[in-house]
Each structure stands twice: as C-alpha cells, then as structure tokens.
Amino acid sequence: MAEFSGVRANLYKESLREFPHARDEDIEVMKKYLAPKDNEVVLEIGAGSGFFSGILSDMVKQLTVSDPSNEQLEEVKDLNKDNIKLVEAGADTLNLEKETADAIWSFGAMHHCFNKTKAFQNFARILKRDGRLVIADVWHGSKLAQHFDDKVAKFCATGHEVAFWTDEFAESLCFLAGLETPKIHDLNIQWKFKTKAEIGTFLYKIHAMTKTTPQECLKGAEEILGIEKKDEMYCLNWPMKVMISKKK
Ligand SMILES: C[S@@+](CC[C@H](N)C(=O)[O-])C[C@H]1O[C@@H](n2cnc3c(N)ncnc32)[C@H](O)[C@@H]1O
C-alpha cells in the first residue's frame, strides 16, 4: 500500500507521538458509539498506526487490527498486546472467517476505500448476527471534506484522492449488504492544542503536507475549519459523522 508508506506513515506516527492528547475526543466517540464490552471480539478497519488499538484491546476479549499498510501496522505490533491479531488488508480485501466479530470499528479510514460495496459484503460476512458496524468518517459537503479537497489534496506528499460519504450511499450500502438501515449522527469533534502553532505542526505531520509549511497549514485550518479558544486550549473543529448499523 504505497499511499500510507514511507514519509506519510512516518509523519503520521510522529504527529500522534508528539501530541498524544490532541485527539482525546476521538476516543470518547469510540467509547460512546462502539461501546465495546470485555467479552467481545472486535475488528478494527484502517487502524493505521494504532491510535485506538491499544485502548480498545484493553476493553475487549479479542481485537483484530487491520490496515492495508504494513508500515502503519508495525507500530501496532510494538504494543505487544496478547489479544491483538494483525491483518494486512483493506476493508475491500479482507478475507476473515464468517460470523466471527461482535462489532466492527473504523475511524477516518473508509474514505480511502474505493470499493465500499465489496467492503460491506465483507463486513456482513464477518459480523455475527446482531453484530454492530460503527464507522466514523468524512462526509461529502462538510467543512472537513473542503479542508481535504482544497488543502490536503494539493500539499500532501502522496496526494489525497478519496471517496467521501453521503447519508444516501451509506444507506444503500447497508441495504445491499443486508444490514439494518444505519443511524447517522454528526460528530462535532474538536482537536485540542496548547498553542495555535501546534495546530499547524500537527496538520503538517498527520497529513504529510510536505509541499507546504506548518504556517500555511494553520492558516488554511483557521479559514476553513475554524479554531476556538476554550479553557486555555486552542480547539480545532473536526466535523465528522458516524454511521451505526447492525447485521440482521
Ligand atoms: C487517516 S488514517 C486513520 C488511521 C486510524 N484509524 C486513526 O484514526 O488514526 C487512514 C488509514 O486508512 C488506511 N486505508 C487505506 N486504504 C484502505 C482501505 N481500502 N480499507 C481500509 N483502510 C484503508 C490507510 O492505510 C491508513 O492507515
């Protein structure tokens, strides 16, 4: 998987290591909408370098961590968790056994998957009856989609050719795969930083925007996403949505 290898994968890991609490609200989203239980087998899709994987593995019986980039997964291996199984595959190429997962979780990854129909067939096969599918991602027409299409696509080391979501397509995919009609919620996430300059550095690294500067990343983010100061922290708006469905 060329897109998330080399400089892109390294800068991604670096951003999360340098600002380990910037994305705390994302963890709250996972706890609220996935609500994992300690007797469950969970499959994570597009896990990247494992931002959720360590925490999630402590909350469940078994966690299968999948991503098409083996470089991203190396970091998850280093967590040394006994109940984590690594699978190098995209949502569309997963080849896991049928009816083995109580829940599937994915955050900020499915817009990279260009065969969502195949991915949803895989999800429907892998989920147990009543198993949950919880996908948080970027929706077409949102300020976040504007940020990615205007700034990240121009300045990211690898480009950013993606397929964002619509409510209608999420519903169609569930319908076609035999999953329940999804419930879709707005996520008014804010990523938090001590200084404004940190926001530029974080965005520069997490999106590998090596064709511009951290200062320009900050400027773009202020214009498009908006930054609010609350309790001495600079909060960057990160508007996503989450869809929740179930296997019938
Ligand atoms: C922005 S990262 C998100 C990583 C992690 N979920 C997080 O929140 O930090 C996107 C990830 O999607 C992965 N990806 C790319 N194509 C994919 C596909 N077809 N199916 C699933 N994941 C994919 C990339 O390798 C990358 O690790």
Side-chain angles (χ1 to χ4, degrees):
M1 173 78 199
E3 211 189 339
F4 268 87
S5 57
V7 74
R8 178 103 210 251
N10 283 329
L11 283 170
Y12 197 90
K13 291 173 202 170
E14 214 177 292
S15 70
L16 299 180
R17 254 187 248 135
E18 201 172 329
F19 303 102
H21 293 294
R23 294 180 56 194
D24 279 356
E25 285 195 4
D26 299 0
I27 301 286
E28 295 312 312
V29 165
M30 183 273 285
K31 288 182 181 165
K32 178 171 174 184
Y33 292 100
L34 178 66
K37 298 181 198 73
D38 59 10
N39 60 349
E40 288 187 327
V41 176
V42 174
L43 167 62
E44 189 179 6
I45 304 290
S49 54
F51 175 76
F52 294 96
S53 312
I55 293 166
L56 190 47
S57 70
D58 289 338
M59 300 177 76
V60 300
K61 188 168 90 184
Q62 203 228 305
L63 179 66
T64 302
V65 175
S66 70
D67 197 283
S69 161
N70 64 340
E71 259 185 84
Q72 293 274 79
L73 288 175
E74 277 302 312
E75 198 90 346
V76 184
K77 208 185 273 173
D78 292 345
L79 291 172
N80 278 318
K81 297 277 187 182
D82 289 339
N83 65 340
I84 286 186
K85 193 175 113 191
L86 296 180
V87 174
E88 190 186 324
D92 42 344
T93 58
L94 276 173
N95 189 16
L96 298 171
E97 258 181 78
K98 69 172 188 181
E99 290 172 20
T100 47
D102 295 291
I104 294 179
W105 163 249
S106 182
F107 188 104
M110 284 298 294
H111 59 274
H112 289 285
C113 178
F114 293 122
N115 194 343
K116 293 187 179 62
T117 308
K118 183 74 195 144
F120 271 57
Q121 285 166 0
N122 288 339
F123 298 162
R125 186 189 73 247
I126 296 163
L127 279 175
K128 295 179 188 171
R129 184 180 284 238
D130 286 333
R132 286 118 54 217
L133 174 65
V134 185
I135 299 174
D137 206 3
V138 184
W139 250 247
H140 182 77
S142 66
K143 293 272 186 197
L144 193 52
Q146 195 185 333
H147 161 75
F148 277 107
D149 282 348
D150 185 355
K151 305 298 179 194
V152 182
K154 238 177 247 150
F155 301 125
C156 173
T158 56
H160 201 258
E161 171 100 36
V162 292
F164 295 131
W165 290 86
T166 60
D167 289 359
E168 292 76 11
F169 197 51
E171 282 160 16
S172 297
L173 287 168
C174 288
F175 172 82
L176 291 170
L179 301 170
E180 277 183 10
T181 306
K183 291 198 174 66
I184 301 173
H185 305 279
D186 286 316
L187 297 174
N188 297 315
I189 294 171
Q190 290 190 317
W191 285 356
K192 299 204 168 74
F193 301 86
K194 290 201 186 87
T195 67
K196 256 194 192 180
E198 284 185 355
I199 294 180
T201 307
F202 187 76
L203 291 178
Y204 177 87
K205 290 187 176 177
I206 198 160
H207 300 321
M209 283 160 77
T210 53
K211 295 178 182 166
T212 185
T213 60
Q215 292 75 18
E216 284 300 313
C217 293
L218 171 61
K219 208 167 134 221
E222 275 195 293
E223 279 166 19
I224 297 174
L225 295 165
I227 296 169
E228 198 185 343
K229 194 166 179 200
K230 267 199 291 197
D231 305 327
E232 298 305 307
M233 294 298 275
Y234 291 89
C235 307
L236 172 67
N237 295 323
W238 203 254
M240 297 174 64
K241 285 199 191 191
V242 62
M243 59 148 284
I244 301 135
S245 178
K246 218 185 210 189
K247 178 154 165 182
K248 288 181 200 165

